[in-house]
Amino acid sequence: MKLCVVGTGSFAQCFIPLFKAHPLVEEVSLADLDADKLEENSKRWELPLTYASLEHALDSDVDGVAIITQNWMHGPQAAQALRAGKHVYSAVPSGNSVEQIRDLVKAVEETGGIYMIGETSSYYPGAIYCRARHAEGAFGKVVYSEGEYFHDWDHGLYEVMRWRGGENWREHGGKPPMHYPTHSTGGIVTILDTRTTHVSCQGFVDDHPDQVYAEGANTYGNRFSNQSALFHMADGSMCRINEFRRIGHPSVERMSMFGTEGCFQNTLGGHIWTDKDGVTNLDGLLGCGRHDGYHDVSLVHEIRRLPKEFRGLPNGHQGSHQFLVDDFVKAVHDSVQPRLNNVWMAARYIVPGLVANESSRRGGELLEVPDFGDPPR
């Protein structure tokens, strides 16, 4: 395939070398509105073909685009690209509203194009391990799951938002935490292969001197820096998701799951499996390192399926980057929707958070979570 990476900021640097190295990618081009940044990246990666905008890329003969732009642009840009006849890989989140997600699903169904969300949590070692244990029935019946993303502003968020938004960075910096729940929900949804049906959510009103969440400071009308949601799942289980941006805690993305026969727990202390007979430490199995020349992978990652060209190349987010790129490229090559991170699963990662935010605005009112159908089987 011919692929254009749209957006050449810091996160794109993780993916440009992987797309460039993949044996099923014939040509990689770059697109960015910033001409200086575009020229710099063209030279850095030795990719001479560039486009001055997404629109210019869509008018070209590229087969697909990897959208790694500002996160509030992803939904409309992905739908635009699909309707222009291009396949789409998108950084998270998929969109900013239920309406955007509905239109994105519609675009895929109308065009038959391949869409994949780059949700890293689907390839975290804990998620891979739990999918296997759940498939073999080791959990029994799952009764409760929990996921959380703790990322305090003092852990680099000020720099990121100022870089993205310039002088008016607070307009998007004050985004509701539940508009970005995918690192918390993604693993759970793929393990249980189910969806959320209802949610009640509470929010913490922020009064920090930086005024990120002050009245009228952001385009979302959002006052919450921390949000906690309790979901009812279609399989009968419960799920609690925390999205915190003001917390005296190291940044962490974690997931735990409790069943009638067995439980998986991930804490700062490590990973453990517990059942009625005792406790098993999983750190040796799930810890990431270098294996067979591949970087940042664990023993549960299926590295044999990765291209040999990825050996020695950067990886990230607990080994997920290389698997995400490989999934998308192979989906386009085989003309099939990706198994894990297709548009219907992407909706099940993000829509629960969008509805949860509305619940918190209503003081915790129990709301129904819409669903846009099952992925192709």
Side-chain angles (χ1 to χ4, degrees):
M1 68 178 298
K2 295 181 179 181
L3 178 89
C4 181
V5 177
V6 182
T8 59
S10 59
F11 195 47
Q13 308 306 306
C14 302
F15 293 91
I16 293 172
L18 298 178
F19 281 120
K20 184 179 176 182
H22 201 289
L24 295 178
V25 176
E26 172 189 351
E27 176 184 87
V28 176
S29 55
L30 305 174
D32 203 298
L33 295 175
D34 187 325
D36 292 338
K37 188 189 300 181
L38 189 59
E39 182 180 5
E40 175 190 343
N41 279 275
S42 175
K43 292 178 179 177
R44 175 186 301 162
W45 297 111
E46 299 179 342
L47 298 172
L49 184 57
T50 63
Y51 300 100
S53 68
L54 169 64
E55 287 70 24
H56 284 86
L58 298 183
D59 285 339
S60 76
D61 67 345
V62 301
D63 302 297
V65 294
I67 295 175
I68 314 181
T69 56
Q70 310 291 23
N71 61 44
W72 57 88
M73 301 177 178
H74 295 168
Q77 287 181 335
Q80 178 186 359
L82 286 160
R83 292 187 170 112
K86 311 301 183 183
H87 304 296
V88 175
Y89 175 94
S90 174
V92 292
S94 300
N96 257 352
S97 68
V98 175
E99 290 71 27
Q100 286 185 6
I101 302 304
R102 180 181 288 110
D103 185 58
L104 183 59
V105 174
K106 184 178 179 182
V108 172
E109 294 175 341
E110 286 175 349
T111 65
I114 303 298
Y115 173 90
M116 184 175 136
I117 189 66
E119 177 43 54
T120 57
S121 65
S122 59
Y123 277 111
Y124 290 173
I128 297 171
Y129 174 83
C130 286
R131 278 198 294 271
R133 299 309 306 266
H134 185 258
E136 68 186 24
F139 282 98
K141 184 173 179 58
V142 173
V143 296
Y144 171 76
S145 306
E146 59 186 22
E148 54 199 22
Y149 182 24
F150 293 164
H151 194 156
D152 188 85
W153 273 91
D154 288 333
H155 291 159
L157 284 185
Y158 289 111
E159 292 78 6
V160 169
M161 292 305 174
R162 288 186 177 112
W163 173 256
R164 289 177 176 173
E167 293 182 1
N168 300 320
W169 62 273
R170 287 179 182 81
E171 292 183 6
H172 289 287
K175 184 174 185 172
M178 279 293 167
H179 274 210
Y180 201 147
T182 61
H183 294 331
S184 303
T185 59
I188 293 169
V189 169
T190 66
I191 294 162
L192 298 181
D193 193 23
T194 190
R195 64 182 183 88
T196 59
T197 63
H198 296 82
V199 61
S200 175
C201 182
Q202 295 289 333
F204 172 78
V205 176
D206 191 85
D207 61 357
H208 193 278
D210 65 17
Q211 297 289 287
V212 172
Y213 302 101
E215 188 75 39
N218 56 73
T219 60
Y220 307 92
N222 176 51
R223 299 297 313 281
F224 303 130
S225 58
N226 299 327
Q227 293 177 296
S228 294
L230 184 63
F231 294 94
H232 181 74
M233 310 297 284
D235 65 356
S237 66
M238 301 165 286
C239 175
R240 190 266 298 156
I241 300 294
N242 284 341
E243 292 291 330
F244 291 174
R245 306 297 177 259
R246 300 278 195 211
I247 182 168
H249 192 283
S251 295
V252 66
E253 302 165 26
R254 68 165 207 94
M255 180 271 299
S256 294
M257 187 167 286
F258 301 82
T260 56
E261 299 299 325
C263 306
F264 172 83
Q265 292 174 268
N266 173 209
T267 69
L268 287 180
H271 307 79
I272 61 171
W273 173 265
T274 61
D275 56 28
K276 297 172 184 179
D277 295 323
V279 179
T280 303
N281 186 290
L282 301 173
D283 288 345
L285 180 67
L286 304 184
C288 288
R290 183 182 175 95
H291 296 287
D292 194 25
Y294 294 92
H295 290 300
D296 196 28
V297 291
S298 72
L299 294 176
V300 298
H301 281 110
E302 192 182 353
I303 59 175
R304 289 176 298 175
R305 54 154 276 197
L306 292 174
K308 66 181 186 301
E309 291 84 355
F310 281 4
R311 284 193 176 101
L313 290 183
N315 207 345
H317 281 89
Q318 299 182 50
S320 64
H321 290 182
Q322 294 190 2
F323 288 91
L324 293 170
V325 167
D326 190 53
D327 275 356
F328 175 67
V329 173
K330 287 178 177 174
V332 173
H333 180 267
D334 297 338
S335 298
V336 295
Q337 295 294 341
R339 182 176 65 87
L340 285 178
N341 291 329
N342 54 67
V343 74
W344 300 274
M345 294 294 279
R348 290 176 177 177
Y349 302 160
I350 183 66
V351 171
L354 298 172
V355 178
N357 179 61
E358 182 60 27
S359 171
S360 66
R361 289 168 61 90
R362 300 187 192 185
E365 181 180 343
L366 185 67
L367 299 178
E368 186 173 354
V369 179
D371 187 66
F372 299 105
D374 291 322
R377 301 296 183 182

